Amino acid sequence: PAFVEQVRRLDLDASLTVGCLHIWRQPLLSAVRRPVNYHDGLLPGHAGLFATAFSILDGDSETGFTFHDMVRGIDRGPVILRGTVPVGPGDDLATVVRRKWAAAETALPALLERIERGEPGVPQSGPGHYHSLADGLRARTLGDPGAASVRTLEHLVRAFGWVDVRIGDRIEPVTGISDRAGPGRLRIGLADGDRFVTALAGHPVAPYRLARRLVGR
């Protein structure tokens, strides 16, 4: 309540959240005339977390971002502005995330102009998909690597940046795969043969911080 009151005293015409993982409840939504959110996916598709990762995982040829009005619920508000970026066959998470951020930064002047003019957002339409934290954790975990192929593991690493793989009695966050051993490499048995993998040093970071770590922010 104290924070909401502080925001209300600012008398804000608009606000913009980027990378916000907190759900705004109605009192906070009402404290700003027009709260706006940046979502790293094309709404209503890939709402929630891991939007970029699931775009790559699904084999989308393009992905993008959405600036939308904030309403009750997650990523449901009217669309103010969206932009698309291509996803190439070999693009990984870090590459696509950088591409989105660059495009979103370029789009900021147009977004601010639309907000200043009071242009209403367009209601979302079309099929929607919501991804929770649990969805992302399940998708990027291989409890039985012996049932997966090299291609599957490489695709998961490309999409999520790292994949939790059971190696012996440990779960290792795998970030790379090859045929040759080297410093820091562990052997793993996959459905189509043994491979050497590179595991992320230390403990796994929270999934929603993955993109920042990969792009150095």
Side-chain angles (χ1 to χ4, degrees):
F3 176 72
V4 172
E5 185 56 34
Q6 290 176 355
V7 173
R8 185 174 289 111
R9 285 200 296 268
L10 292 174
D11 194 28
L12 297 175
D13 290 324
S15 64
L16 175 61
T17 59
V18 179
C20 180
L21 298 174
H22 298 283
I23 299 175
W24 284 33
R25 306 300 180 186
Q26 192 57 49
L28 184 54
L29 289 172
S30 301
V32 181
R33 293 186 183 87
R34 190 169 191 180
V36 177
N37 180 58
Y38 166 82
H39 177 70
D40 63 335
L42 295 172
L43 295 176
H46 299 306
L49 298 175
F50 305 100
T52 306
F54 277 105
S55 293
I56 297 173
L57 190 66
D58 291 350
D60 295 344
S61 60
E62 70 175 16
T63 181
F65 59 89
T66 305
F67 290 106
H68 66 93
D69 288 311
M70 297 175 70
V71 298
R72 293 183 64 180
I74 301 175
D75 300 331
R76 296 180 180 176
V79 174
I80 304 172
L81 185 150
R82 62 159 53 96
T84 61
V85 298
V87 181
D91 288 342
D92 60 11
L93 177 63
T95 299
V96 180
V97 167
R98 290 192 191 99
R99 194 172 291 154
K100 283 188 183 185
W101 283 349
E105 184 177 2
T106 300
L108 277 176
L111 170 70
L112 296 177
E113 289 176 3
R114 294 185 185 188
I115 293 174
E116 186 177 13
R117 290 196 298 264
E119 293 186 17
V122 178
Q124 297 182 30
S125 62
H129 304 279
Y130 172 79
H131 306 295
S132 67
L133 175 61
D135 294 333
L137 294 177
R138 281 193 298 267
R140 69 117 203 262
T141 299
L142 281 179
D144 180 15
S149 66
V150 171
R151 183 175 180 180
T152 295
L153 180 56
E154 289 177 336
H155 187 51
L156 285 170
V157 169
R158 189 166 68 87
F160 287 93
W162 52 282
V163 179
D164 289 329
V165 179
R166 179 172 293 281
I167 303 177
D169 59 352
R170 297 179 58 185
I171 298 293
E172 296 285 355
V174 170
T175 58
I177 181 170
S178 72
D179 294 315
R180 297 182 179 181
R185 291 192 178 275
L186 304 172
R187 182 179 290 278
I188 182 174
L190 296 170
D192 46 359
D194 286 351
R195 290 294 187 277
F196 289 97
V197 300
T198 301
L200 187 68
H203 297 289
V205 295
Y208 54 80
R209 295 177 182 169
L210 171 62
R212 290 183 180 179
R213 166 170 287 202
L214 288 176
V215 298
R217 294 194 179 186

